[in-house]
Amino acid sequence: MTTAEIAAWRARMPAAFGSSGRTRALRIAGWLAFALWLGWALQHFGFTPQRLWNGLSGLATILRLMVPPSPGELWVDILQGLAESVAMAFLGTFVAAVIAVPLGFLGAGNVMTNLLFRFSLRRVFDGFRGIDQLIWALAFVRAVGLGPLAGVLAIATADIAVLAKLNAEAIENAERRQQEGVTAAGGSRLARLRFGVLPQVLPVMLAQALYFFESNTRSAAILGVVGAGGIGLQISERIRVRHWDEVAFIILLMVVTVAAIDFLSARLRRRLTGGG
């Protein structure tokens, strides 16, 4: 290739031969702006080496006090709180999964042909998904009082919109040939949904509900800190009196419980979705 041909190609596609001076200047300016913003953010949040070192030293002290873990004298209360958290997660997930099934059909484009209704319902889903479980727990604690009922309601309310959106996407991706077969056999629209769509998406819905149950088991421990029942209340009480060995025992117990639920739910999800 001659020099003239190289010059012609450079004129036609200058980006292939390297960035221009303007592009490099903008890139440098962008990195400088990011560095300035990062420095301001670190200063605004009080990020200093001395403060970080003091925090790590305090954390090391807490970790030393956690060894060896001990159930303490009130170990029965710990087991009751853990069982309460698992029950909260199960009930909240079950209620959300049941309500999310019809909402998923209403939000699916191949089922609900009214564009305005479907768009409005999807935006409602987006709005509910933007509110964390902890916010719902604080609201329900004020509404229904302290206890696991507030935790169940918070988990269910936070998960309904997420599961409904996932269900709607699964329904929209359902195979059309089965639906057409039901219609060709003389089935009504309800029969098409019942026999042509639901058998395809039901394993996916159940698998998603199992995954949310596993996740909500961990979340239920946090909800107890704000008075929504469960093992979180036991953790907050022991942190308040600095019984770190009992806190370590509760954490280990939670890890074992979540691992067991994760193992069982993973096997059920694989079986439901045909993964063996």
Side-chain angles (χ1 to χ4, degrees), residues 218-240:
R218 297 188 296 267
S219 302
I222 304 300
L223 299 182
V225 176
V226 297
I231 195 66
L233 181 61
Q234 305 292 333
I235 295 176
S236 62
E237 288 179 351
R238 282 155 178 79
I239 290 177
R240 191 178 301 113

Side-chain angles (χ1 to χ4, degrees), residues 126-194:
D126 294 340
F128 272 76
R129 291 204 314 274
I131 305 176
D132 189 73
Q133 284 183 356
L134 195 60
I135 306 301
W136 287 115
L138 291 170
F140 282 117
V141 164
R142 284 296 294 268
V144 301
L146 300 173
L149 177 59
V152 172
L153 294 175
I155 292 173
T157 307
D159 286 353
I160 285 173
V162 184
L163 285 172
K165 181 179 183 297
L166 294 174
N167 291 345
E169 293 177 351
I171 293 168
E172 289 176 345
N173 293 324
E175 178 63 43
R176 293 183 177 272
R177 286 180 293 182
Q178 297 186 26
Q179 306 174 46
E180 294 170 353
V182 175
T183 304
S188 62
R189 184 180 181 186
L190 183 60
R192 179 167 61 89
L193 297 177
R194 167 63 182 85

Side-chain angles (χ1 to χ4, degrees), residues 72-255:
E73 299 179 356
L74 303 177
W75 58 271
V76 176
D77 294 341
I78 295 176
L79 295 179
Q80 289 177 349
L82 183 63
E84 194 172 81
S85 292
V86 175
M88 284 168 49
F90 177 80
L91 290 175
T93 307
F94 178 78
V95 172
V98 170
I99 298 176
V101 172
L103 291 178
F105 279 96
L106 293 176
N110 57 345
V111 176
M112 179 55 61
T113 57
N114 189 319
L115 181 60
L116 179 60
F117 178 84
R118 189 174 72 251
F119 177 82
S120 302
L121 187 62
R122 286 294 189 100
R123 300 295 74 77
V124 172
F125 293 166
D126 294 340
F128 272 76
R129 291 204 314 274
I131 305 176
D132 189 73
Q133 284 183 356
L134 195 60
I135 306 301
W136 287 115
L138 291 170
F140 282 117
V141 164
R142 284 296 294 268
V144 301
L146 300 173
L149 177 59
V152 172
L153 294 175
I155 292 173
T157 307
D159 286 353
I160 285 173
V162 184
L163 285 172
K165 181 179 183 297
L166 294 174
N167 291 345
E169 293 177 351
I171 293 168
E172 289 176 345
N173 293 324
E175 178 63 43
R176 293 183 177 272
R177 286 180 293 182
Q178 297 186 26
Q179 306 174 46
E180 294 170 353
V182 175
T183 304
S188 62
R189 184 180 181 186
L190 183 60
R192 179 167 61 89
L193 297 177
R194 167 63 182 85
F195 298 102
V197 178
L198 188 60
Q200 297 186 60
V201 300
L202 187 58
V204 179
M205 292 179 178
L206 292 175
Q208 291 168 349
L210 286 171
Y211 174 77
F212 272 73
F213 169 54
E214 170 204 332
S215 177
N216 288 331
T217 304
R218 297 188 296 267
S219 302
I222 304 300
L223 299 182
V225 176
V226 297
I231 195 66
L233 181 61
Q234 305 292 333
I235 295 176
S236 62
E237 288 179 351
R238 282 155 178 79
I239 290 177
R240 191 178 301 113
V241 296
R242 301 181 184 277
H243 289 175
W244 297 110
D245 54 341
E246 298 182 21
V247 173
F249 177 80
I250 295 174
I251 292 174
L252 291 176
L253 200 61
M254 288 174 53
V255 169

